[in-house]
Amino acid sequence: MIEITDLNKKFNTQSVLKDLSLTIAGGEFCILVGANGAGKTTLLRILAALVRPDSGEVLLEKEPLFADPSLRRKIGYLGHQSLFYGDLSAWENLRHYARLYNLSNSEEIIRKCITQSGLTPHQHKPLRTYSRGMQQRLALERALMHSPSLLLLDEPHSGLDQDAANGLDERLRQLHLKGCTLLVAAHRPQRLLQSATHAAWLREGQITDKVTLDQLSDIPGLDSYIREVK
Amino acid sequence: MTGFRRYLQTVWAIFRKDVQVEWRGRQGVPVMLVFSLLVVFLFNFALQLSPQLQSGLASGLLWVTLAFAATLGLNRSAALERENDALNGLMLAPVDRSAIFFGKTLSNLASTLLVAFILMPTISLFFGQNLLKPALFLVVILGTGAYTCLGTILSALSIQSRTRDVLLPVLLYPLALPILIAASEASRGILSGQTLGELQNWLYLLLACGILFTATGLLLFETILEE
């Protein structure tokens, strides 16, 4: 699904990713772990084609990611921000995204997204009146509304209360069962251990280890990192 | 053909979104309008010029006011995309990113033209010269078109900078000088009774600036956004 080879990215003089290589097969649910500033967000932004790497190759389904804009249709991205317009309602924001993705049955999809996020009573209120958690729930639906085959999530649980976080875990599990490939950056990844299949450890700009969760105990450092970070 | 249609749909979607946000928030055009009208009032009362001098001032005042008002609009338009990282949402769309350039330019142009079309009768009223001439409308469309193309490119360039509010005018005004000079001269010529044929050099310069900055946006906008 994704093949990353010798990826490098610098911001000014600071090297964030250094010769990073990583392969994610179709259908994997991979947790990307790493300390603050390790480069998780930068890696996900490159995979979402939002930032161009300085060097290296990113292939999505064997095609260069940055060569063909239509490849971005296969990607769903949820970052630290909601990507919504505060003056528009949930309905209007989603309709805008439906137009950007040229979705044919947009009304039905938007209705489903709003129902799924539990925001039906608030759907016509401006987004700026929503709490962080409500925006995050809607942002997840925005990332999924065009049915991407690759989902990139950056700290998706942030801002969610316990019930919403549990709902998100269940949603991710179902998406994985349907065949969606997931790469989830998580600073505190324990809650994803039940549904994820792989874990990749990003340290000092490189993926130092990538294993299935069954093999986690073979990498004591990663195992203890995942289980002990709180 | 389907790809081009898809591209135009994205341009239109971005334009519609900007109009809708402006309609809901009313933070762009009203500010530009109030600023423009204040400038006209201030010039009218502060300078106390004779009617003959006032009429000579009209074209210069129109373009200086439009340039400043358009910069306010460009800053507001960039701020809109900065809030909640909404620009990244546009960048996720599966079409060439020059569509974002054209969509944003179109909405910036629409708001600037709206202000211009209100400003022209106002200046006519205060400065005793009729600005409501078809040839002048043509110059305004060409001039604001080139100016907003350039402004949209530069606002994308400055959007990530901490000093963006200052950076945009500092970058924009020197580069927009050819547009402002050509537009002012063409406007002055029209107001003094010259024909479009006599002003063709200025009009060609405006057209050339418009084509140059449109091509720049088409070719470089994606790189600017990704950096």
Side-chain angles (χ1 to χ4, degrees):
Chain A
M1 179 90 196
I2 317 174
E3 292 171 65
I4 307 165
T5 316
D6 296 332
L7 200 67
N8 285 282
K9 182 67 191 173
K10 273 185 184 174
F11 290 108
N12 296 322
T13 54
Q14 193 187 352
S15 205
V16 180
L17 303 179
K18 301 167 200 163
D19 294 324
L20 181 148
S21 295
L22 173 68
T23 301
I24 309 245
E28 270 186 24
F29 183 160
C30 184
I31 315 171
L32 180 65
V33 296
N36 290 333
K40 301 188 295 289
T41 296
T42 303
L43 176 59
L44 289 185
R45 285 174 62 79
I46 289 173
L47 295 179
L50 292 172
V51 175
R52 202 174 279 265
D54 297 331
S55 64
E57 190 176 46
V58 182
L59 300 178
L60 177 61
E61 293 181 349
K62 303 204 182 296
E63 288 185 70
L65 176 63
F66 289 90
D68 180 5
S70 67
L71 278 178
R72 294 199 286 268
R73 180 174 287 280
K74 297 177 180 175
I75 300 170
Y77 171 75
L78 175 64
H80 290 170
Q81 300 283 338
S82 67
L83 316 187
F84 288 133
Y85 297 91
D87 284 328
L88 301 185
S89 67
W91 184 275
E92 289 163 340
N93 268 294
L94 292 181
R95 191 171 52 189
H96 164 62
Y97 278 99
R99 284 177 184 144
L100 289 182
Y101 284 103
N102 196 27
L103 302 182
S104 50
N105 48 347
S106 60
E107 297 265 315
E108 192 188 327
I109 292 172
I110 295 167
R111 196 169 295 117
K112 204 183 284 182
C113 286
I114 288 174
T115 308
Q116 187 77 44
S117 61
L119 294 169
T120 308
H122 308 279
Q123 60 180 314
H124 297 300
K125 292 178 187 167
L127 249 288
R128 64 174 77 259
T129 63
Y130 285 27
S131 70
R132 166 91 177 102
M134 289 159 83
Q135 290 200 24
Q136 184 76 347
R137 271 148 51 198
L138 194 66
L140 177 70
E141 297 308 321
R142 188 263 307 146
L144 292 169
M145 72 186 300
H146 58 290
S147 308
S149 51
L150 169 65
L151 192 56
L152 305 168
L153 306 177
D154 196 354
E155 306 283 358
H157 294 91
S158 68
L160 297 182
D161 59 30
Q162 194 57 42
D163 285 346
N166 291 339
L168 173 62
D169 292 342
E170 178 57 22
R171 192 83 200 281
L172 297 182
R173 199 180 65 79
Q174 284 176 8
L175 284 166
H176 178 231
L177 288 176
K178 284 179 187 168
C180 186
T181 307
L182 292 104
L183 180 59
V184 183
H187 183 58
R188 293 170 182 171
Q190 297 93 327
R191 64 178 312 129
L192 294 170
L193 291 177
Q194 296 207 330
S195 31
T197 57
H198 292 73
W201 198 1
L202 181 57
R203 280 191 296 177
E204 294 172 4
Q206 290 186 316
I207 298 290
T208 54
D209 300 284
K210 188 197 167 205
V211 292
T212 63
L213 288 193
D214 299 340
Q215 299 167 321
L216 203 54
S217 52
D218 297 346
I219 318 281
L222 178 58
D223 189 35
S224 59
Y225 183 90
I226 287 182
R227 294 183 196 284
E228 289 171 18
V229 172
K230 287 200 173 122
Chain B
M1 191 60 196
T2 315
F4 185 62
R5 200 170 150 211
R6 175 82 201 84
Y7 183 89
L8 290 181
Q9 280 173 343
T10 306
V11 172
W12 185 240
I14 293 167
F15 173 73
R16 280 178 75 164
K17 178 269 299 171
D18 274 1
V19 171
Q20 198 168 26
V21 172
E22 178 56 29
W23 183 250
R24 290 270 183 282
R26 294 189 181 92
Q27 290 176 23
V29 173
V31 172
M32 293 164 75
L33 256 180
V34 168
F35 170 82
S36 305
L37 296 178
L38 274 177
V39 170
V40 174
F41 278 119
L42 284 173
F43 265 77
N44 184 49
F45 291 112
L47 295 178
Q48 296 289 330
L49 300 172
S50 65
Q52 200 174 8
L53 281 174
Q54 274 194 340
S55 63
L57 189 73
S59 67
L61 180 63
L62 172 69
W63 284 102
V64 169
T65 311
L66 271 183
F68 289 149
T71 311
L72 286 178
L74 288 164
N75 262 331
R76 162 67 189 150
S77 175
L80 193 72
E81 301 304 339
R82 215 166 41 238
E83 187 188 1
N84 296 332
D85 258 349
L87 181 63
N88 282 337
L90 300 182
M91 290 172 69
L92 291 171
V95 289
D96 191 282
R97 282 168 180 156
S98 58
I100 303 173
F101 165 71
F102 285 113
K104 295 300 291 180
T105 301
L106 204 59
S107 60
N108 289 330
L109 177 63
S111 56
T112 309
L113 280 178
L114 183 64
V115 171
F117 293 156
I118 294 173
L119 196 59
M120 286 163 76
T122 311
I123 294 177
S124 299
L125 193 71
F126 280 91
F127 287 81
Q129 186 154 28
N130 181 19
L131 271 69
L132 303 176
K133 297 181 174 179
L136 191 58
F137 281 108
L138 175 71
V139 173
V140 166
I141 290 168
L142 283 177
T144 50
Y147 191 84
T148 48
C149 271
L150 174 63
T152 305
I153 297 169
L154 295 179
S155 63
L157 198 66
S158 59
I159 197 168
Q160 304 296 348
S161 164
R162 276 178 299 170
T163 56
R164 54 191 160 252
D165 294 335
V166 183
L167 192 61
L168 177 61
V170 167
L171 291 174
L172 179 58
Y173 296 144
L175 289 171
L177 264 183
I179 302 169
L180 295 175
I181 290 170
S184 304
E185 289 298 327
S187 304
R188 196 192 326 276
I190 290 164
L191 292 178
S192 62
Q194 287 181 273
T195 62
L196 284 178
E198 290 171 304
L199 298 166
Q200 62 179 350
N201 288 344
W202 295 119
L203 297 177
Y204 284 146
L205 180 57
L206 281 181
L207 200 60
C209 287
I211 293 169
L212 173 70
F213 295 130
T214 304
T216 307
L218 186 67
L219 295 173
L220 295 183
F221 206 69
E222 175 154 26
T223 310
I224 291 169
L225 292 180
E226 286 172 0
E227 291 302 315

